Amino acid sequence: RALRDAASAAPYEFIEILVNEEQYGGGGIFNFQATAAADTGFAEYVFVHEFGHHFAGLADEYYTSDVAYETGAAYHVEPWEPNVTALHDPQRVKWGDLIDADTPLPTPWDKEAFENGSVAAQQKRRGLREDGAAESAMDRLFTEQMDRETALLGGMLHAGKIGAFQGASYEPTGLYRSEVDCIMFTRNPVGFCRVCRRAIENVIDQYTGRP
Ligand SMILES: [Zn+2]
């Protein structure tokens, strides 16, 4: 209620809360609000990523982080979010109209190379946290990781193609994302994948009345 009272000072549809906080973090809830720590080196990334959750109901596409949501289930129901699929029927993927006829489904990518680098970076991150390292050290680690992963993913065979890449929404298997990289997948400066972009545009169209 206090949040709505404060927000009502101006006409609004969406709320982004910037927190005076140096420790990296943020969150976003569809149709409610998004938050981002404003004083980290990756504040802009966090703002845009969390906005994707809040504004367009986008799912996290990452699955190698330490988050505790993964179910480990062998069977996944088709997620409601527009940017993740369980790929039960490769002939009818929800973003199938964007997939080139010659792109294989599932779409191969060098998952192992990505995961090895990701796990190593997370071990370093935990070490820095345990040592009480400064946020600037964390930012440096994230920057190194970003540079390495941007090159690794961008150099893969189907980079830039739309398909179904295994590993999404906290699940290393059974759930798929539409492109090898996206701001919902990594902190890399690649923007939203085309499926995420279309989901965002659909919400904008609902507000602007474009048919
Ligand atoms: Zn995406």
Side-chain angles (χ1 to χ4, degrees), residues 22 24 37-45 135 139 142-143:
E22 285 190 0
Y24 175 89
D39 302 315
T40 85
F42 282 80
E44 289 174 27
Y45 151 78
E135 280 303 304
D139 283 348
F142 280 171
T143 302

Side-chain angles (χ1 to χ4, degrees), residues 41-68:
F42 282 80
E44 289 174 27
Y45 151 78
V46 175
F47 183 98
V48 175
H49 175 102
E50 304 305 344
F51 179 78
H53 291 305
H54 171 40
F55 185 79
L58 300 177
D60 277 320
E61 295 178 19
Y62 59 78
Y63 67 91
T64 54
S65 165
D66 286 336
V67 289

Side-chain angles (χ1 to χ4, degrees), residues 156-179:
M156 288 186 187
L157 178 61
H158 293 289
K161 289 283 187 184
I162 299 178
F165 297 80
Q166 179 152 250
S169 196
Y170 325 118
E171 300 287 352
T173 59
L175 291 177
Y176 301 78
R177 61 193 194 280
S178 69
E179 288 192 43

Side-chain angles (χ1 to χ4, degrees), residues 63-64 104 106-119 148-160 164-167 172 177 179-181 185-186 188:
Y63 67 91
T64 54
T107 314
W109 66 294
D110 196 348
K111 195 166 181 277
E112 200 181 322
F114 175 78
E115 288 172 6
N116 289 341
S118 181
V119 166
R148 188 172 41 73
E149 290 182 353
T150 301
L152 177 68
L153 292 168
M156 288 186 187
L157 178 61
H158 293 289
F165 297 80
Q166 179 152 250
R177 61 193 194 280
E179 288 192 43
V180 78
D181 206 356
F185 181 60
T186 62
N188 300 341

Side-chain angles (χ1 to χ4, degrees), residues 58 61 83 178 181-184 192-196:
L58 300 177
E61 295 178 19
N83 59 329
S178 69
D181 206 356
C182 172
I183 197 169
M184 301 309 286
F192 288 103
C193 68
R194 274 160 289 177
V195 167
C196 285

Side-chain angles (χ1 to χ4, degrees), residues 59-63 68-81 84-90 94 111 165-177:
D60 277 320
E61 295 178 19
Y62 59 78
Y63 67 91
Y69 308 128
E70 69 188 285
T71 63
Y75 181 87
H76 296 281
V77 294
E78 179 65 19
W80 62 269
E81 293 97 333
V84 175
T85 181
L87 200 64
H88 292 307
D89 183 357
K94 50 192 161 191
K111 195 166 181 277
F165 297 80
Q166 179 152 250
S169 196
Y170 325 118
E171 300 287 352
T173 59
L175 291 177
Y176 301 78
R177 61 193 194 280

